[in-house]
Each structure stands twice: as structure tokens, then as C-alpha cells.
């Protein structure tokens, strides 16, 4: 799944976490995820941010994307320019694809209260 689909990426990255996120480069990269429970890769985010700041990358391909917390966070922080999420589990991939196809869905998802 290619998350570089025009303004949909920006809308998703800026609204999914339920708060406004700036694109300024700070020492900490805020985790951006589309599910209320970030997966086990959240611990990788500080290490990935440090690595990709030192080794510039235009496109990141994130296999086993899950919620996409690493790639979406790096994209939101401006550390990478393009993100390709690869997810085998069709239900997770469907949610991510739907948010790209309908950027308003990300806002509705973030605002949903069970």
C-alpha cells in the first residue's frame, strides 16, 4: 500500500492520533498509529528515527506494517518522503487503505467513542 497519495497522507498522519501534529523536526518523533493499540514495533521508533536521520531515505518500505506506527511516524516527522506499507493481514490492510481512500474516515475513526 502506497501512502503517498496526495493530501490523504497528510490528513491521515495529522488526524489519526487525535491531535494536531506539527511537521517540525524535534529530537522526539511522536508515534502515529491508526489503531488504539500500537503494536510491538513502537519501541523501534526512536531507533528508526535516529537511523533514518543519519542515513537519508526517500522511500521507506515497511513490511509487516500492522498499524504502520514506525513508517507513519517517520513520514509525519518529515524524516522520509514516501511510505509503502506492506501488510498481509487483510483486515488491517483494509482499514489502512480505507483511510487513504477517504481521508475523512481517519477523522471519524479518531473521534469514535465506543
Amino acid at each position: 500500500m502506497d501512502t503517498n497519495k496526495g493530501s490523504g497522507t497528510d490528513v491521515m498522519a495529522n488526524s489519526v492520533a487525535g491531535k494536531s501534529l506539527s511537521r517540525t523536526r524535534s529530537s522526539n518523533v511522536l508515534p502515529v498509529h491508526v489503531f488504539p493499540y500500537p503494536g510491538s514495533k513502537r519501541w523501534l521508533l526512536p531507533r528508526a528515527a535516529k537511523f533514518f536521520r543519519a542515513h537519508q531515505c526517500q522511500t521507506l518500505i515497511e513490511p509487516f506494517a500492522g498499524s504502520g506506527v514506525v513508517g507513519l511516524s517517520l513520514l509525519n516527522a518529515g524524516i522520509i518522503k514516501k511510505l509503502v506499507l506492506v501488510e498481509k493481514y487483510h483486515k488491517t490492510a483494509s482499514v489502512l487503505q480505507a483511510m487513504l481512500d477517504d481521508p475523512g474516515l481517519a477523522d471519524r475513526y479518531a473521534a469514535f467513542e465506543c
Side-chain angles (χ1 to χ4, degrees), residues 4 6-7 15 44 50 54 62 76 88 103:
N4 195 10
S7 63
S15 64
L44 182 61
K50 182 178 178 181
E62 185 175 352
N76 183 66
K88 181 178 179 181

Side-chain angles (χ1 to χ4, degrees), residues 46-91:
R47 292 168 179 86
K50 182 178 178 181
F51 178 84
F52 286 110
R53 280 190 175 121
H55 303 88
Q56 291 295 305
C57 173
Q58 291 294 314
T59 302
L60 174 65
I61 300 172
E62 185 175 352
F64 314 106
S67 70
V69 66
V70 174
L72 287 171
S73 300
L74 295 177
L75 184 66
N76 183 66
I79 296 171
I80 60 172
K81 303 296 179 217
K82 185 176 178 183
L83 174 62
V84 178
L85 296 175
V86 180
E87 177 54 54
K88 181 178 179 181
Y89 185 58
H90 71 279
K91 289 183 178 183

Side-chain angles (χ1 to χ4, degrees), residues 13-31:
N14 287 329
S15 64
V16 169
K19 57 187 166 213
S20 176
L21 301 174
S22 73
R23 289 197 175 270
T24 60
R25 291 185 180 240
S26 67
S27 60
N28 294 326
V29 176
L30 297 174

